[in-house]
Amino acid sequence: MGDPRPRGLRLLSLDGGGIRGLSELIILEELMERIKWIKKLPEVPIPADYFDLIGGTSTGGIIALLLGRLRLSAAEAIKVYEDLVRIIFSKKKRTGKDGTFEATILEKVMKDVVASRLDGRADALMYEREDSHACRVFVCALGAPNITHPTGPTLFRTYDVPKNKEYNCTIWQAARATSAAPTLFKRIKIGPPESATDYVDAGIGFNNPVKKVIEEVPMAFGRDRPVSCIVSIGTGRKGITSYDQQNFSENLLPRELIKALKDIATDTDRTAHEMSERYHTAGIYYRFNVDQGLDSVSLDEWRHLNAVRHHTKNYLKKIDVGDAVDKLVAVLVDGSNASYVLGHIGTAVS
């Protein structure tokens, strides 16, 4: 008799980090290549077929949409992502008011990408129909009134939930909201005309969204679903705060926001350490984050994409990293490591 338990859920969390988001995609591409090899598949599989829930913040949010909502392969997403950052970061605005770069350019690029994947429907919504087999995706954003004292991010989802529903915006609006980093892009207003809210990215406090991914399990799948793996991918250590120093003028940003921006990297690493400690004995948590080379790459330096690729490839060649990737591949291919049920955030029950 077969195991009556449902297959363990496979969760993916993607950090924010500007153009360094390319590193996340390269790591996922390697993961998919190894799955292809192990399973002897004719083509490289897509991440949406191996993860049940993907959550992301900022650049990680855009990548989550490309992989999960639009179902791109890692290789396709890399091309789209490289083209996107080249276009949006190639030309700065004449004035730094409301962001350094044109948000309208980002909107157009995202609409074009969505239209190319969804039969010309540039304004396709995040949630359109229930599909229990589809990869579920959410992106994090913050309501602008709470930016310096966030109580929690708004999650724009591709699936229905039983309570605390958020506005069902378009895919491109979700991409804009999750990537509206202060000093880079202006905020975006989302919602019904009579109650629309301004949103910015959730990098402040939620740049590493892995806790939100874990908290979403009962909302997205119901309680008591077993979990095979929690995969968290970063964009390089200690580089998140490398905004151009000229943007930290108090004439442009309040002192509290400047401090919050500088704390993003620390918060990201702290969250990763906490999750590693919490799920060490469970054996279900995997964290991949390039440890050398990316700290000098700023969020908007699109000309350094090759450096991001180079440092990520070198990171993947490390013996301990390669072993961790192989172990994760085995879990994703087999899917039987489902002995843990996530309860309240931070608890796991055998």
Side-chain angles (χ1 to χ4, degrees):
M1 178 180 290
D3 191 334
R5 297 175 304 172
R7 175 183 57 74
L9 295 172
R10 301 164 296 189
L11 315 178
L12 175 60
S13 172
L14 300 171
D15 289 11
I19 69 120
R20 295 192 304 275
L22 175 63
S23 180
E24 296 174 317
L25 284 169
I26 291 171
I27 291 170
L28 285 167
E29 183 181 41
E30 178 66 22
L31 194 62
M32 294 299 111
E33 288 281 0
R34 296 194 193 190
I35 290 175
K36 174 181 180 291
W37 178 265
I38 292 295
K39 297 190 70 174
K40 296 181 172 56
L41 301 173
E43 296 181 351
V44 179
I46 64 174
D49 285 342
Y50 282 85
F51 290 99
D52 301 287
L53 176 64
I54 305 177
T57 295
S58 193
T59 189
I62 290 179
I63 292 171
L65 293 172
L66 295 178
L67 298 177
R69 180 62 176 88
L70 301 182
R71 294 182 59 81
L72 270 64
S73 68
E76 290 171 329
I78 286 172
K79 171 131 190 358
V80 168
Y81 192 77
E82 289 182 332
D83 289 344
L84 183 149
V85 298
R86 286 191 185 102
I87 293 171
I88 64 177
F89 291 133
S90 288
K91 185 179 180 180
K92 292 185 177 182
K93 294 165 60 175
R94 292 184 179 180
T95 172
K97 182 180 179 182
D98 290 330
T100 306
F101 301 95
E102 292 286 355
T104 54
I105 296 177
L106 174 56
E107 291 177 10
K108 182 182 184 307
V109 173
M110 284 306 305
K111 287 179 180 179
D112 289 345
V113 173
V114 172
S116 69
R117 296 294 298 189
L118 299 180
D119 301 320
R121 296 185 300 118
D123 290 321
L125 298 174
M126 285 287 283
Y127 171 64
E128 293 189 332
R129 62 187 178 86
E130 196 66 38
D131 184 350
S132 60
H133 299 292
C135 175
R136 301 183 180 193
V137 178
F138 72 80
V139 302
C140 299
L142 288 178
N146 299 321
I147 186 171
T148 57
H149 299 286
T151 56
T154 293
L155 305 188
F156 293 109
R157 302 175 173 98
T158 65
Y159 50 94
D160 199 11
V161 291
K163 57 185 178 180
N164 299 325
K165 301 175 191 285
E166 301 292 354
Y167 183 74
N168 186 23
C169 66
T170 64
I171 299 170
W172 71 262
Q173 285 176 321
R176 268 281 287 116
T178 196
S179 59
T183 78
L184 294 184
F185 299 104
K186 69 178 181 180
R187 58 191 63 185
I188 180 174
K189 193 177 290 293
I190 295 177
E194 67 278 6
S195 59
T197 299
D198 286 327
Y199 288 97
V200 298
D201 89 324
I204 300 172
F206 305 96
N207 201 61
N208 179 345
V210 65
K211 288 184 180 180
K212 302 309 299 182
V213 171
I214 294 170
E215 289 174 355
E216 273 294 287
V217 169
M219 294 282 280
F221 303 99
R223 302 187 65 84
D224 302 327
R225 280 294 300 272
V227 172
S228 290
C229 59
I230 304 166
V231 183
S232 175
I233 308 181
T235 57
R237 290 184 180 172
K238 297 183 181 178
I240 307 302
T241 57
S242 56
Y243 291 89
D244 289 342
Q245 289 302 310
Q246 69 217 35
N247 289 331
F248 287 133
S249 167
E250 291 188 26
N251 294 325
L252 297 176
L253 296 173
R255 185 184 299 274
E256 286 186 342
L257 179 53
I258 293 172
K259 181 180 183 301
L261 287 170
K262 291 180 178 179
D263 286 343
I264 288 176
T266 302
D267 290 341
T268 298
D269 289 342
R270 184 185 300 117
T271 298
H273 178 72
E274 180 184 342
M275 293 298 100
S276 180
E277 292 271 310
R278 191 162 283 168
Y279 294 110
H280 175 71
T281 57
I284 60 172
Y285 175 75
Y286 298 82
R287 173 70 171 173
F288 300 103
N289 195 24
V290 176
D291 53 2
Q292 293 180 347
L294 298 189
D295 54 323
S296 62
V297 179
S298 295
L299 300 182
D300 58 352
E301 290 182 339
W302 64 270
R303 290 182 178 84
H304 292 178
L305 285 170
N306 284 337
V308 175
R309 182 183 295 276
H310 171 75
H311 291 303
T312 306
K313 291 284 190 180
N314 283 343
Y315 168 76
L316 287 167
K317 291 175 183 176
K318 293 185 176 183
I319 294 176
D320 58 334
V321 176
D323 288 346
V325 173
D326 284 338
K327 184 178 178 182
L328 175 57
V329 166
V331 172
L332 292 174
V333 168
D334 183 33
S336 62
N337 180 28
S339 59
Y340 277 80
V341 174
L342 302 175
H344 194 277
I345 177 68
T347 64
V349 184
S350 294

